[in-house]
């Protein structure tokens, strides 16, 4: 049976990252349910509701050992044909209740069909900035044509702009020239000109023209994250955030982490184009969404600013990211990029411009630059660590004297991928965990359910949503709590001896796991889960330590946790885990979507664009792969919280357990002592 099961088709569901082997002929919906993947179905599998739609991602997914093809699904049957005839199925979609697994597959669960979709928690903050946008709305009254003065209508408009607004020698977007006479006459020679002037040394450019007075214009600021995309629509005149929207990055289906997406491009000739098209399609959907929420037209958007890590940056621009897949991690372009939005597949107003912040280094991108601009370590005396924890952690450390930056390959473990019961932050996901140090009984909180698991009303509320898995913030908390309660040692080994104290310590062959929730699905934290988090946190901590070495400091004054994930991390548990160095906990703050804030700053004030361009030129880039001490720091950081570094600030608020050395977690989980390779 074991040999047969290994030959069963391997199915990977995205964006959850959950996978398993299933016998040929298994309906896709059944496979999803067995793995705890949420696929909506309200008709009981009769192919009438259409909620269970999925699509197949075709190609060679080398990281997962999967060659996925639409041919690996059964042919369309009578039920699907009837549904498509009556209701219509989008191209490439199948009904998972009818489609059967015949071979290896990468299955995408489209987010537009999911009610319990991932919670994209990247709202704009309430900060107010001085305004000096690159686009200005200039109302002018143009001199009417005169037989005595044979000056063209456009030229008289230019004269009015120079006289009233001191915009001399205005360039004009070509799309405006055929419309000028009609607009001037419609406005009875009174018009509003949208003038784009980003840099002081460039000529002003007429990018839009409106009859009469138009006293509003808008711009979008967008953070293209590897997991989620967040977009904000702002008034360029008032600075007010009019609407915000977010969505999962559809590129997840090509790979959970950045390197797997680069691998996909390398293995599939059309991979770059497919990922570029996917992200631009998602961005256009978000533009429509914020326009609808803000009750404006796409034509009203005149400026835009985008940030992202280097691979997201390159794929958005249509640049092959292959060179970023290996040393020397060469960027195609590192400086700021300025283009017309229509040139990169984002039609808004015909004159709309797009500005991308500069990238700091091969794996420290425009998003890290934007976060740096937002939090301003380069403007303060304190030594500040700024870290954006994602599939690739971007780290900036410094003060007004010197700023250094690096990246660390943490992988997708913190976001739920590669964790046995892990999932992204969505209703039903456990997000907070506490473990009683005496009884080892857990209590937890679930997204979408107000009471904790041990409080009245939890059962009824959870029954409506389900308890489906563990998201990133809870993964950190449960492992930290397991350490504090003695379930795991400082080396991350689940202590099998604890099974005598609690039935929640489960034996799994030569290792042990912890039962967090005894329900459907059953949610456990395995030894492999602990190891995955140790590897991820050690990579991050080692990168931070390298930057501290470069700065010659042994302690930090302030730590900022950026990004959607950083926003929901409890700093205390992050420190218990050893994710970040010891620091006064009052000085460890979640700074929200700092990258999105930095993008908004650049949208509303072009002076910030010059500030970050100058700052990025001065930031020293450290390549962790080339640093000989990285491995030393990494090994020490595998321990909880750390093998060599002291945590005196943490010790003032948390009682850390006595050090307990157990066997190698990769083999015995505490049942046997270490053995030599020869025995």
């Amino acid at each position: 049976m074991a040999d047969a099961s290994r030959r069963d088709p391997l199915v990977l569901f995205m964006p959850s990252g959950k996978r398993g082997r299933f016998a040929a002929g298994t309906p896709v919906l059944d496979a999803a349910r067995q793995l705890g993947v949420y696929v909506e179905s309200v008709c009981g599998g009769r192919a009438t509701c259409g909620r269970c739609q999925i699509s197949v991602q075709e190609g060679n997914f080398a990281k997962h050992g999967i060659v996925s093809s639409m041919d690996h699904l059964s042919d369309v049957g009578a039920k699907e044909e009837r549904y498509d005839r009556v209701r219509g199925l989008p191209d490439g979609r199948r009904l998972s209740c009818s489609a059967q697994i015949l071979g290896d597959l990468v299955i995408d669960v489209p987010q537009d069909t999911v009610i319990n979709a991932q919670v994209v928690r990247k709202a704009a903050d309430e900060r107010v900035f001085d305004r000096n946008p690159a686009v200005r709305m200039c109302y002018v009254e143009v001199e009417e044509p005169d037989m005595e003065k044979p000056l063209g209508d456009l030229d008289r408009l230019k004269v009015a702009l120079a006289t009233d607004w001191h915009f001399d020698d205005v360039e004009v977007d070509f799309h405006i020239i055929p419309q000028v006479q009609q607009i001037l006459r419609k406005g009875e020679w009174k018009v509003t000109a949208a003038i784009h002037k980003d840099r002081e040394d460039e000529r002003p450019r007429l990018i839009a023209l409106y009859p009469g007075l138009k006293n509003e214009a808008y711009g979008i600021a967008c953070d293209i994250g590897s997991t989620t995309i967040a977009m904000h629509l702002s008034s360029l005149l008032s600075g007010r955030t009019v609407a915000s929207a977010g969505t999962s990055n559809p590129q997840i289906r090509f790979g959970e982490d950045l390197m797997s997406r680069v691998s996909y491009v390398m293995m599939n000739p059309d991979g770059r184009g497919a990922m570029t098209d996917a992200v631009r399609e998602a961005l256009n959907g978000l533009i429509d969404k914020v326009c609808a929420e803000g009750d404006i037209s796409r034509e009203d958007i005149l400026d835009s600013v985008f940030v992202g890590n280097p691979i997201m940056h390159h794929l958005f621009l249509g640049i092959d990211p292959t060179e970023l897949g290996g040393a020397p991690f060469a960027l195609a372009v590192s400086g700021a990029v300025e283009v017309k939005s229509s040139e990169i597949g984002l039609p808004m107003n015909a004159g709309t411009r797009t500005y991308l912040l500069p990238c700091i280094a091969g794996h420290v991108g425009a998003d890290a630059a934007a976060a740096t601009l937002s939090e301003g370590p380069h403007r303060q005396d304190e030594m500040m660590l700024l870290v954006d924890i994602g599939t690739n952690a971007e780290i900036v450390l410094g003060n007004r004297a010197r700023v250094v930056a690096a990246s660390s390959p943490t992988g997708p473990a913190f976001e739920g991928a590669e964790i046995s019961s892990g999932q992204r932050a969505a209703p039903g996901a456990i997000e907070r965990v506490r473990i009683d140090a005496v009884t080892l009984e857990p209590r937890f909180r679930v997204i979408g359910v107000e009471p904790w698991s041990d409080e009245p009303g939890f059962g009824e509320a959870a029954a409506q949503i389900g308890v489906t898995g563990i998201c990133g913030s809870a993964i950190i908390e449960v492992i930290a709590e397991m350490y504090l309660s003695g379930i795991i040692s400082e080396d991350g080994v689940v202590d099998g001896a604890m099974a005598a104290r609690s039935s929640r310590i489960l034996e799994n062959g030569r290792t042990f796991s912890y039962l967090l929730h005894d329900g459907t699905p059953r949610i456990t934290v395995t030894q492999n889960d602990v190891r995955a988090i140790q590897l991820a946190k050690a990579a991050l901590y080692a990168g931070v330590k390298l930057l501290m070495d470069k700065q010659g400091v042994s302690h930090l004054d302030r730590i900022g946790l950026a990004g959607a994930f950083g926003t929901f991390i409890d700093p205390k548990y992050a420190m218990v885990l050893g994710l970040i160095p010891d620091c006064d906990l009052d000085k460890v703050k979640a700074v929200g979507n700092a990258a999105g804030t930095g993008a908004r700053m650049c949208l509303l004030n072009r002076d910030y664009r010059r500030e970050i361009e100058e700052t990025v030129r001065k930031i020293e880039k450290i390549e962790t792969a080339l640093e000989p001490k990285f491995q030393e720091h990494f090994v020490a950081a595998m321990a909880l919280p750390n093998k060599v570094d002291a945590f005196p600030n943490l010790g003032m608020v948390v009682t850390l357990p006595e050090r307990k050395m157990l066997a190698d977690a990769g083999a015995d989980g505490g049942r046997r002592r270490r053995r030599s390779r020869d025995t």
Side-chain angles (χ1 to χ4, degrees):
M1 283 297 291
D3 290 341
S5 67
R6 279 201 297 272
R7 291 193 296 271
D8 285 340
L10 177 60
V11 182
L12 170 67
F13 285 91
M14 302 302 286
S16 69
K18 293 185 177 180
R19 73 203 71 194
R21 290 190 179 274
F22 300 92
T26 302
V28 174
L29 181 60
D30 290 354
R33 285 174 171 167
Q34 289 180 46
L35 291 176
V37 175
Y38 187 85
V39 177
E40 179 80 9
S41 177
V42 298
C43 67
R46 293 191 292 271
T48 58
C49 72
R51 295 282 187 86
C52 69
Q53 295 176 28
I54 52 92
S55 60
V56 172
Q57 299 308 312
E58 298 195 282
N60 186 343
F61 297 81
K63 176 185 174 183
H64 306 293
I66 293 176
V67 176
S68 177
S69 169
M70 187 70 83
D71 295 337
H72 294 175
L73 280 182
S74 60
D75 292 338
V76 174
K79 289 182 179 180
E80 279 184 286
E81 284 183 350
R82 184 185 69 243
Y83 180 87
D84 189 24
R85 187 170 61 252
V86 176
R87 304 277 295 277
L89 268 175
D91 289 343
R93 295 276 181 93
R94 295 290 301 274
L95 297 182
S96 63
C97 62
S98 298
Q100 297 176 351
I101 298 164
L102 301 180
D104 291 355
L105 289 163
V106 176
I107 298 285
D108 184 38
V109 181
Q111 294 302 290
D112 59 11
T113 68
V114 178
I115 292 176
N116 284 18
Q118 177 182 354
V119 180
V120 180
R121 303 186 272 197
K122 286 192 173 183
D125 65 21
E126 300 300 320
R127 289 164 61 179
V128 177
F129 313 110
D130 291 336
R131 288 177 295 102
N132 184 18
V135 174
R136 293 182 65 182
M137 303 298 281
C138 304
Y139 175 78
V140 290
E141 297 185 3
V142 179
E143 186 178 347
E144 295 187 35
D146 188 327
M147 293 282 288
E148 304 283 330
K149 302 175 184 176
L151 201 59
D153 287 351
L154 179 58
D155 298 285
R156 280 181 283 103
L157 172 61
K158 290 182 178 181
V159 170
L161 288 168
T163 301
D164 295 351
W165 293 91
H166 306 293
F167 282 128
D168 299 315
D169 196 21
V170 172
E171 293 185 293
V172 182
D173 272 5
F174 179 76
H175 73 273
I176 293 175
I177 294 176
Q179 306 174 44
V180 167
Q181 290 191 314
Q182 178 186 356
I183 293 171
L184 283 170
R185 283 158 180 79
K186 185 177 180 181
E188 297 179 346
W189 309 101
K190 302 175 184 66
V191 292
T192 302
I195 301 294
H196 182 275
K197 180 177 170 64
D198 186 359
R199 301 175 188 276
E200 289 301 326
D201 59 354
E202 71 182 20
R203 289 171 61 188
R205 175 173 287 274
L206 177 63
I207 62 170
L209 188 65
Y210 305 92
L213 173 65
K214 185 173 179 63
N215 59 1
E216 192 56 282
Y218 298 89
I220 53 173
C222 186
D223 172 20
I224 307 174
S226 55
T227 304
T228 59
I229 305 173
M231 181 178 290
H232 309 295
L233 174 70
S234 296
S235 163
L236 296 178
L237 277 68
S238 69
R240 179 174 59 96
T241 298
V242 177
S244 296
T247 188
S248 298
N249 188 329
Q251 293 176 348
I252 290 173
R253 62 180 179 251
F254 302 102
E256 293 159 348
D257 57 27
L258 296 173
M259 285 301 99
S260 60
R261 294 183 205 179
V262 174
S263 296
Y264 186 86
V265 172
M266 296 170 70
M267 306 265 315
N268 296 274
D270 61 348
R272 197 280 307 154
M275 277 195 267
T276 296
D277 291 345
V279 74
R280 289 180 180 175
E281 181 180 349
L283 291 169
N284 276 306
L286 284 180
I287 292 170
D288 287 338
K289 191 175 291 186
V290 294
C291 286
E293 184 180 333
D295 194 24
I296 69 163
S297 162
R298 288 177 75 118
E299 291 282 322
D300 294 326
I301 299 174
L302 297 178
D303 202 9
S304 58
V305 174
F306 288 83
V307 300
N309 63 56
I311 291 171
M312 295 301 96
H313 171 282
H314 278 36
L315 287 170
F316 169 52
L317 290 174
I319 300 170
D320 189 325
T322 301
E323 293 298 326
L324 294 170
F329 310 108
L331 290 155
V333 54
S334 56
V337 175
E338 301 168 59
V339 296
K340 288 187 74 170
S341 304
S342 58
E343 294 175 342
I344 52 174
L346 300 180
M348 291 176 271
N349 190 289
T352 305
R353 263 46 181 185
T354 291
Y355 174 87
L356 281 83
L357 275 69
C359 290
I360 296 174
H363 283 291
V364 189
D367 54 350
T372 300
L373 177 65
S374 171
E375 300 310 309
H378 58 290
R379 303 187 204 106
Q380 56 189 272
D381 295 323
E382 289 184 310
M383 183 60 65
M384 180 182 185
L385 171 67
L386 181 62
V387 55
D388 189 339
I389 307 167
T391 53
N392 188 65
E394 294 172 312
I395 314 163
V396 177
L397 176 67
N399 55 20
R400 68 173 75 253
R402 183 188 184 203
V403 180
V404 294
S407 67
S408 267
T410 51
F414 288 133
E415 295 178 334
E418 299 181 355
I419 302 298
S420 60
S421 296
Q423 67 167 88
R424 305 196 187 281
I430 296 173
E431 63 172 346
R432 293 279 179 258
V433 178
R434 302 290 182 267
I435 297 175
D436 187 291
V438 176
T439 65
L440 305 187
E441 285 297 303
R443 53 191 295 264
F444 52 81
R445 190 168 182 179
V446 174
I447 296 175
V449 178
E450 189 63 28
W452 282 69
S453 60
D454 61 343
E455 293 177 345
F458 173 81
E460 295 82 355
Q464 300 296 317
I465 293 177
V467 182
T468 55
I470 319 173
C471 72
S473 59
I475 290 167
I476 287 179
E477 291 191 7
V478 72
I479 292 178
E481 283 277 329
M482 288 169 69
Y483 170 61
L484 292 174
S485 60
I487 296 172
I488 57 176
S489 67
E490 69 163 15
D491 288 331
V493 179
V494 181
D495 187 355
M498 288 288 200
R501 282 180 51 190
S502 172
S503 60
R504 289 189 175 273
I505 310 300
L506 308 176
E507 185 174 356
N508 308 114
R510 298 171 67 189
T511 63
F512 291 84
S513 59
Y514 177 71
L515 177 61
L516 180 59
H517 175 58
D518 194 5
T520 305
R522 205 176 198 214
I523 298 172
T524 61
V525 181
T526 69
Q527 184 64 70
N528 285 338
D529 295 339
V530 177
R531 273 291 177 259
I533 292 299
Q534 283 180 280
L535 291 167
K537 75 100 176 179
L540 173 56
Y541 194 95
V544 173
K545 285 290 290 184
L546 278 180
L547 296 191
M548 292 175 70
D549 291 346
K550 294 295 180 182
Q551 290 280 23
V553 298
S554 58
H555 78 280
L556 304 174
D557 299 315
R558 187 178 297 277
I559 298 177
L561 301 173
F565 183 54
T567 299
F568 291 91
I569 296 174
D570 186 316
K572 179 180 74 175
Y573 287 107
M575 209 173 285
V576 170
L577 192 68
L579 189 66
I580 53 176
D582 187 64
C583 183
D584 180 349
L585 276 167
D586 289 337
K587 296 296 184 72
V588 183
K589 302 292 184 185
V591 296
N593 183 18
T597 300
R600 283 203 304 126
M601 292 169 70
C602 289
L603 175 69
L604 298 174
N605 191 326
R606 59 197 177 105
D607 296 337
Y608 287 127
R609 304 183 185 186
R610 308 293 86 78
E611 178 184 338
I612 195 56
E613 289 166 5
E614 179 63 24
T615 300
V616 166
R617 282 191 285 270
K618 293 178 180 178
I619 292 176
E620 299 174 44
K621 296 83 175 174
I622 309 301
E623 182 48 64
T624 56
L626 304 179
E627 294 292 330
K629 287 200 72 176
F630 182 83
Q631 191 63 26
E632 177 185 334
H633 288 316
F634 180 87
V635 170
M638 282 291 289
L640 303 174
N642 194 279
K643 185 70 75 176
V644 295
D645 288 351
F647 283 73
N649 285 288
L650 179 62
M652 295 172 65
V653 295
V654 174
T655 302
L656 296 174
E658 292 185 11
R659 293 192 162 183
K660 176 166 61 173
M661 301 294 291
L662 299 176
D664 184 353
D668 301 341
R671 300 181 68 201
R672 303 186 182 97
R673 291 290 156 191
R674 299 180 192 273
R675 300 179 299 175
S676 70
R677 291 187 179 181
D678 299 324
T679 60

